[in-house]
Amino acid sequence: MITGMPRIAIAMHDFDAAVETFRGELGMPVVDLTPGSVESLGAKLAMCVPEGGSNIELMSPANPEAPLSQSLSRFLERRGEGLFALMLEAPDPDEEALRLLDRGLNVLPTMAGASGRDVHPNSTHGVLIRVYPVNSFAGETSASRSGLSGIIRAMVAVRDLDHARTVYETGFGLACDAPCDDGARGVRGFVCRPPSGGVIEFVTPSDADRPFAREVAAFLEDRDGLYALVLRGNERQSVTVCGARIIVENS
């Protein structure tokens, strides 16, 4: 059983610059996990831990011999910096992997050194999903200096909305709202609600005259996948940081 969405990862080339951007420019509390992560996983890791929603994980390759580093490098070579993976949690990831396999999802073999299991994007509408043990990161959240929250919504752009709902409701066993039209943004979508952390919003364009729908349609010309992270803050804005689109809604 999936128990939550603890974080979403962003892959980047310049780890130190990314930490400085999130900590200095965005005013987020950031926990640098690099000393232990390079040794154990071969990658540089940091966790942005503002209050509310899910955390933002920063990831960069460090050891070309390590599987996680190789995965990050392939992603960066193929797509450039950006939203890399959506993390879910379950009491026993290996048992959960068997259930996901039975439901038709493409679960990958255990990655060396990893504590979780990966589900290939070709069965999840372009989203690399990693299922980790419950409380896989035990750090505490704290208030952002800027007032920004954690991830309130992870936005996924898809071409086939009905199939995406089947995958996440039936495949992952997550509660999903009924699809509805959002005339203001020109999209049709639904919200998927993990038991803890932020929610996942799936959208597909329905009205090309709306700016947001046009942006989503342009993204979908390449692929389905993670489109944006939505945070709460004091000022509405949309920024791109390390290739990841971040939308800030009013608190």
Side-chain angles (χ1 to χ4, degrees), residues 81-117:
E81 296 184 318
L83 297 170
F84 173 64
L86 184 153
M87 280 61 168
L88 299 174
E89 288 184 334
D92 187 325
D94 288 325
E95 287 187 5
E96 189 66 27
L98 295 176
R99 284 190 282 268
L100 298 178
L101 278 167
D102 286 342
R103 296 170 188 163
L105 296 174
N106 184 6
V107 181
L108 299 174
T110 303
M111 180 185 292
S115 59
R117 298 295 298 272

Side-chain angles (χ1 to χ4, degrees), residues 26 212 215 227-229 235-241 244-249:
L26 297 182
F212 180 77
E215 292 169 0
Y227 175 68
L229 305 180
E235 180 181 351
R236 292 178 64 89
Q237 59 179 311
S238 176
V239 297
T240 299
V241 183
R245 184 177 185 188
I246 296 177
I247 300 171
V248 180
E249 298 180 343

